[in-house]
Amino acid sequence: MKFCAVKQYFDDENNNNITSGASTTMIPLPNVESHPLAILITYCKKHLKIKANNADNKKETEKEMEQYEQELLKKVMPQELTELILAANYLNFKEALDFFCRAVASAIQNKSIEFVRKFFGLESDFELGEEEKLREEFAWSFEGVDED
Amino acid sequence: MEGGMDFLNCLDLDMSLQILMYLKDPSDLARVSSVSRSWRDFVIANGLFKQLCLRMFPQLSRVARVMELNKCGAKEPVEVGSSYSTEWESLARNHRVYATLARVCTSFLPEDCISKAISASSTDNYPEESIENTLRPADIVPHRPLYWSSKGQKNPAVPETLIYKLKSEFCVITEIKIRPFEAYFQPGSPIYSAKSVRFQMGHPKSPNDLGSRLLGDPLPSADDTFIWTYTSPEFPMAQESCLQKFTLPEPVLCIGGILQIELLGRVQTQEVDGLFYICMSYVRVMGRPLSPALRVEILEPSGTFVLKKDMQGKFHTQPGLPENEAREIPNDRWQRRIRYLQHFVDILQGNANVVEIEEYESGEEEDEAEEEYPL
């Protein structure tokens, strides 16, 4: 189910107000900015379209969705991912939420610590020597990491 | 846009966990816990390494507790202090131990993990056809076929089991390789394979049960002697005398160091008596022994166990070369061997004249007193 929060609003509206048309109702979404919302709407539309095109073929749907998701990730700034996750969570849009969580995990896979810090705008808050100790303890995890 | 957003700070717990759960590689999780203090604390507080290990190895659900042993082999002292610090120390210990476990179980060169044979459900001629023979590749003892044979059965549905002890009571196993035996000295060279095979892993109910016992005597009841904590799916076996590989769907932790091979369904009868037999010539269990650095202590009767990390312990030395496969005999040499042996059999039976064989390689032993081994 997509945009469950919005649907909930519709359902409530219909229960309360039989005569007023849906097109004149304003739905407040205070926690979602327009940019991530636009992306989510596009994602949702695309998902429905692909599903409709491949009515019976689940594998085909998955394959096409994957291709679209890869394309989408190229256009989305990595830093926007957190905003998108928050938006998808607020709107109760499960598929998008799963997708963006996976995307964040993929973004940091096999990347160095410095890359991850830069990606999320973090500073190291370790005391002197603490980080060295960790690097020693987990020396095995620092081999074969992607170049920054 | 300046920098990004620290998702661990902005998102709620569930979502942050969801993101980090998508990291399958222990190295990624280890690096994540080295990014900053808050990230490290998050990984420890939420037991992410333990969760990663549990996803990889459901067998770990029966861990009762985790211990770290210092250089004297003694348990690290529990910190005296607030219950919060004790709990934190416990979480940190879990973090260290499960990180080590995840690391060693995902990055290794598989080696043969069999230490010795324990028992076979039946043996036709003991000791000539003992389960011990399955531990050696055929060409170690020249001119003598090495294989295990079950007793004959009228009913082909009667299964057989072979039980082995592994090099460590704590191993990670990825695949098992079995070579069925081809009786080249029988007409038609029948192959005594089985229809399908299944594997079980577990531990002895009581460590003393294994004691000293002839391999020829099957255990009174294997199911009473051992507790099986893992059963694999059933794999079909080919009716071929090649080394067949059975890869487990996921690597499995063998807790207790005992592995059982169930041979299901007989296929081949012996011409002489019309009974169905199963014979295997070589077995290898591929994986990695985890002790002495990682050990388990099984707590009976609950069946739960203690996971122990020896801070001083090293891991079982890994072979430097890629998989140290038993030397597979090249086909033409195998053919020469068969002809050579067949010739001896013919001589003994008075069917052939002694003729110089020029085919065998110089240096091969000539065994004058060759005996025929009955099944």
Side-chain angles (χ1 to χ4, degrees), chain A residues 79 82 85-86 89 97-98 102 105 109-111 113 117 120 122 125-127 130 134 137 140-141 145, chain B residues 3-7 11 15 18-19 22-23 27-28 30-31 34-37 39-40 96 99 103:
Chain A
Q79 294 84 344
T82 316
I85 291 176
L86 282 168
N89 186 48
L97 183 60
D98 282 347
R102 264 184 288 128
Q109 237 166 29
N110 213 38
K111 294 285 187 285
I113 301 184
R117 282 181 188 146
F120 293 108
L122 296 168
D125 56 355
F126 286 120
E127 275 181 18
E130 239 184 324
L134 280 174
E137 192 183 338
W140 46 268
S141 69
V145 167
Chain B
M5 289 157 73
D6 179 356
F7 70 83
L11 299 175
M15 263 186 301
Q18 199 172 344
I19 293 176
Y22 280 117
L23 295 174
S27 296
D28 285 329
R31 280 193 299 275
S34 308
V35 164
S36 73
R37 259 216 184 142
W39 279 42
R40 178 165 176 267
R96 288 188 294 270
R103 159 65 178 169

Side-chain angles (χ1 to χ4, degrees), chain B residues 23 46 50 68 89 102 114 168 212 235 246 267 287 296 318 368:
Chain B
L23 295 174
N46 292 287
K50 181 175 176 179
E68 273 174 320
E89 185 45 47
I114 296 182
S168 157
S212 57
F235 299 87
F246 303 98
V267 175
V296 289
Q318 287 270 273
E368 302 282 27

Side-chain angles (χ1 to χ4, degrees), chain B residues 115-128:
Chain B
S115 163
K116 59 183 195 182
I118 294 180
S119 97
S121 44
S122 75
T123 307
D124 197 20
N125 294 302
Y126 186 83
E128 295 92 358

Side-chain angles (χ1 to χ4, degrees), chain B residues 132-205:
Chain B
E132 280 277 323
N133 292 337
T134 59
L135 300 182
R136 291 182 284 268
D139 61 347
I140 294 285
V141 178
H143 316 321
R144 192 186 134 192
L146 288 177
Y147 60 93
W148 158 80
S149 170
S150 71
K151 285 203 184 320
Q153 292 281 346
K154 285 209 191 97
N155 178 5
V158 175
E160 295 284 339
T161 55
L162 297 171
I163 304 181
Y164 297 90
K165 185 167 193 296
L166 302 180
K167 285 178 181 160
S168 157
E169 89 283 6
F170 197 33
C171 295
V172 56
I173 304 297
T174 50
E175 65 190 15
I176 293 110
K177 299 186 185 181
I178 306 177
R179 182 166 62 221
F181 179 64
E182 179 176 359
Y184 50 82
F185 45 78
Q186 291 183 343
S189 294
I191 300 173
Y192 291 91
S193 180
K195 273 214 182 96
S196 60
V197 67
R198 192 169 53 198
F199 310 104
Q200 282 165 314
M201 299 191 218
H203 59 270
K205 268 195 182 151

Side-chain angles (χ1 to χ4, degrees), chain B residues 33 90 113 146 160 166 225 276 283 292 295 300 314 341 364:
Chain B
S33 66
S90 165
C113 292
L146 288 177
E160 295 284 339
L166 302 180
T225 316
F276 287 95
V283 171
R295 300 207 290 261
E300 287 299 345
K314 299 271 173 270
L341 286 161
E364 269 188 8

Side-chain angles (χ1 to χ4, degrees), chain B residues 199-310:
Chain B
F199 310 104
Q200 282 165 314
M201 299 191 218
H203 59 270
K205 268 195 182 151
S206 155
N208 300 324
D209 276 356
L210 296 182
S212 57
R213 200 181 33 80
L214 271 185
L215 285 176
D217 304 330
L219 287 165
S221 167
D223 285 343
D224 282 343
T225 316
F226 301 105
I227 295 182
W228 305 118
T229 53
Y230 168 81
T231 302
S232 78
E234 205 174 304
F235 299 87
M237 273 197 97
Q239 306 313 304
E240 287 164 26
S241 60
C242 54
L243 194 63
Q244 299 178 30
K245 196 157 80 162
F246 303 98
T247 308
L248 300 175
E250 298 287 343
V252 172
L253 282 177
C254 176
I255 298 160
I258 307 289
L259 186 138
Q260 171 170 268
I261 300 178
E262 280 184 288
L263 298 158
L264 306 164
R266 297 160 193 256
V267 175
Q268 183 67 52
T269 52
Q270 181 172 232
E271 197 179 302
V272 151
D273 55 16
L275 296 175
F276 287 95
Y277 290 81
I278 301 181
C279 309
M280 296 291 154
S281 67
Y282 194 35
V283 171
R284 289 187 105 199
V285 173
M286 307 305 292
R288 181 187 194 175
L290 299 175
S291 64
L294 285 169
R295 300 207 290 261
V296 289
E297 183 195 323
I298 297 168
L299 307 169
E300 287 299 345
S302 63
T304 54
F305 61 95
V306 180
L307 176 60
K308 300 183 189 178
K309 178 180 164 193
D310 189 334

